[in-house]
Amino acid sequence: MTKIIDGKKRSEEILADIKEKIDINKLKPCLAIILSAVDEASKIYVNNKITAAKKVGIETRLISLSNNVTAEEILKELDKLNKDSFVNGIIIQLPLPSHIDSSKIIDAVDSKKDVDGFSPYNVGRLAAGIEGFFVPCTPLGVLDLIKQEDTNISGKNIVIIGRSNIVGKPLAQLLLKQDATVTICHSKTHNLKFHTLNADIVICAAGKEKYFDKSYFNDNSFVIDVGISREESGAICGDVDFDSINGFIKATTKVPGGVGPMTVASLMKNTLKAYFIQNEY
Ligand code: NAD
């Protein structure tokens, strides 16, 4: 039997805990979201974040900008949010329209409000293994899910498929900090199966619909599926071919109901942390 690690259930526990802290202490955290309406998926992700925030008592401010917004206009909005003492956390929903240099925008987010953990200060601190203000939300959610199954990952052989700045790289830094032995694989990796078949834990973040079947894993594999793709039928699926691995490997997350809700829960956690940082608790 393959054990299913339930990200939806775990995220609800985290959200309940956040709500309790906010209610008991009568806190008023506020999260601002800059959305430049480029794609439907971004709108759905933003709605999920707003719904979760409402659930726990975090106020949200949505700044919706058009597709042809300029970098200067975004920077102006960002400057207002950076200076607004009522706003604790700021996220820039990615991707931005292609004519905008995202790094220039992300670099301008106040690192104490950077609840996505993408600003140079937070990225640098994580890379150096020193505590910064925030760690990116998906890696935080993945680490929490790993710990649901495996509480001691020190020395474990963990393979991450994907080297993006928002998932693969920060996740590798986070896991290294936990003393795991980390290998990052990507589209140019030779003999990917050599790595995955010898790993204790495999984290799939390639963005390839149902690409990884049982031939990539062994019967003791623990797999975390970060991928989110939409099938032709409209259904959401992950990077892993669940039907192929189910009953063969030791444990896995599922898509939907795995890493996705954990990313949102981690964002709420980071927003509450931002509130504490700014109010010097
Ligand atoms: P990305 O496109 O920036 O990076 C994909 C990475 O996978 C690249 O490093 C690429 O080299 C590697 N890759 C692609 N095909 C490969 C293959 N066949 N073999 C080995 N490596 C391969 O994507 P991203 O932003 O890191 O996101 C990855 C996936 O995770 C996407 O499906 C995205 O939607 C999803 N995602 C989910 C969450 C969540 O909360 N669940 C959050 C962020 C991203």
Side-chain angles (χ1 to χ4, degrees):
M1 262 244 314
T2 299
K3 183 172 172 188
I4 309 297
I5 311 299
D6 190 340
K8 181 96 182 80
K9 185 163 162 256
R10 175 66 190 134
S11 72
E12 275 160 10
E13 286 167 11
I14 295 170
L15 292 178
D17 185 49
I18 295 171
K19 182 172 167 37
E20 189 177 280
K21 283 197 179 98
I22 290 176
D23 288 350
I24 289 177
N25 299 298
K26 299 190 169 39
L27 310 177
K28 297 220 170 302
C30 173
L31 170 68
I33 303 171
I34 294 187
L35 170 68
S36 177
V38 275
D39 62 328
E40 279 311 306
S42 292
K43 288 185 195 164
I44 295 170
Y45 295 147
V46 165
N47 276 339
N48 290 344
K49 290 168 189 176
I50 292 174
T51 305
K54 257 195 199 131
K55 223 179 190 172
V56 299
I58 292 177
E59 190 174 312
T60 49
R61 256 192 227 176
L62 177 62
I63 293 97
S64 282
L65 304 168
S66 75
N67 242 328
N68 45 25
V69 67
T70 64
E72 288 64 36
E73 285 165 330
I74 302 183
L75 288 171
K76 212 166 141 193
E77 289 295 337
L78 200 46
D79 187 51
K80 280 192 254 169
L81 297 173
N82 279 339
K83 288 178 179 150
D84 187 337
S85 60
F86 191 75
V87 171
N88 307 111
I90 302 170
I91 59 169
I92 316 288
Q93 184 65 39
L94 298 174
L96 287 171
S98 55
H99 64 275
I100 299 210
D101 176 1
S102 312
S103 64
K104 196 171 156 192
I105 308 295
I106 290 165
D107 289 0
V109 178
D110 179 345
S111 53
K112 285 190 179 168
K113 296 190 177 187
D114 166 37
V115 286
D116 260 340
F118 296 159
S119 71
Y121 176 88
N122 288 313
V123 170
R125 300 287 284 194
L126 181 62
I130 307 167
E131 188 162 350
F133 296 120
F134 305 103
V135 170
C137 301
T138 302
L140 271 185
V142 168
L143 178 61
D144 188 304
L145 285 180
I146 290 175
K147 289 191 166 174
Q148 298 305 305
E149 171 66 12
D150 197 341
T151 47
N152 182 15
I153 57 171
S154 173
K156 292 270 167 74
N157 184 2
I158 304 185
V159 166
I160 301 170
I161 307 175
R163 58 174 163 182
S164 72
N165 290 336
I166 62 167
V167 185
K169 282 187 213 153
L171 183 53
Q173 308 290 2
L174 193 62
L175 296 172
L176 272 177
K177 191 120 205 297
Q178 304 277 318
D179 298 324
T181 304
V182 184
T183 305
I184 303 183
C185 298
H186 48 79
S187 54
K188 300 283 188 285
T189 298
H190 292 163
N191 197 358
L192 183 60
K193 285 183 187 173
F194 165 80
H195 299 281
T196 57
L197 284 168
N198 287 298
D200 298 303
I201 301 171
V202 181
I203 300 162
C204 301
K208 295 273 173 219
E209 177 186 329
K210 294 184 174 173
Y211 186 85
F212 301 106
D213 63 12
K214 70 188 277 188
S215 67
Y216 283 85
F217 310 110
N218 63 53
D219 59 2
N220 205 31
S221 296
F222 174 19
V223 174
I224 303 276
D225 191 353
V226 180
I228 303 177
S229 299
R230 197 174 279 278
E231 293 181 85
E232 246 176 57
S233 66
I236 299 289
C237 70
D239 282 356
V240 178
D241 180 351
F242 179 76
D243 292 338
S244 165
I245 56 121
N246 190 25
F248 175 61
I249 68 168
K250 185 177 75 176
T252 187
T253 60
K254 273 185 87 172
V255 181
V259 176
M262 290 299 290
T263 297
V264 176
S266 301
L267 177 65
M268 300 306 128
K269 234 182 182 174
N270 276 353
T271 304
L272 184 57
K273 188 177 180 195
Y275 180 88
F276 287 132
I277 290 171
Q278 281 145 52
N279 291 282
E280 286 168 14
Y281 270 75

